[in-house]
Amino acid sequence: MSEVEIPEPVSSFVKAVNQHDEAAFLDAFTESGVVDDWGRLFTGRAEIKGWSDVEFIGARGVLTPEESSVSGDAVTVVGDWRSNHANGRSKFVFDVDGDRIAKMTIRKG
């Protein structure tokens, strides 16, 4: 399977997640960045870190991208998510603001 092309800054974000690099993961978001995890909202670095410690980076998550698309400032990545917290095909929609992520929305892929 060929590697899925994902534009920046999302490509670096996925790499940081898969390397369990918490600092790079958190730094990828804007100051007021938001994670929408199946309707649960986490806003700002402290809330995102608290969520991630249990369900994302802290759960040793790995995303294997299977497809990627771009629409305006939104980058969508669908792939196989494996972690100590949850597993399965997931869709991640990233609202990009310059070289940072303003919002990451996670839903069933």
Side-chain angles (χ1 to χ4, degrees):
M1 183 169 129
S2 62
E3 191 165 321
V4 175
E5 282 195 35
I6 303 170
E8 291 294 343
V10 177
S11 179
S12 291
F13 175 85
V14 171
K15 188 177 295 177
V17 168
N18 289 348
Q19 293 174 345
H20 315 297
D21 184 338
E22 180 184 68
F25 163 76
L26 293 170
D27 289 345
F29 288 94
T30 60
E31 292 280 318
S32 58
V34 176
V35 169
D36 175 346
D37 184 13
W38 293 74
R40 294 178 304 141
L41 298 178
F42 304 91
T43 304
R45 190 177 182 100
E47 284 188 17
I48 291 172
K49 180 183 178 342
W51 164 80
S52 174
D53 284 352
V54 175
E55 299 186 32
F56 214 66
I57 300 293
R60 309 298 289 170
V62 174
L63 174 62
T64 303
E66 296 168 350
E67 54 190 84
S68 167
S69 62
V70 178
S71 176
D73 290 331
V75 176
T76 300
V77 177
V78 178
D80 185 49
W81 174 257
R82 296 285 153 199
S83 75
N84 297 329
H85 181 79
N87 296 293
R89 189 167 157 87
S90 300
K91 178 170 76 171
F92 296 81
V93 179
F94 300 91
D95 296 339
V96 176
D97 182 1
D99 63 352
R100 312 264 302 277
I101 296 166
K103 184 175 184 183
M104 174 176 75
T105 303
I106 307 170
R107 295 292 188 269
K108 181 178 172 86

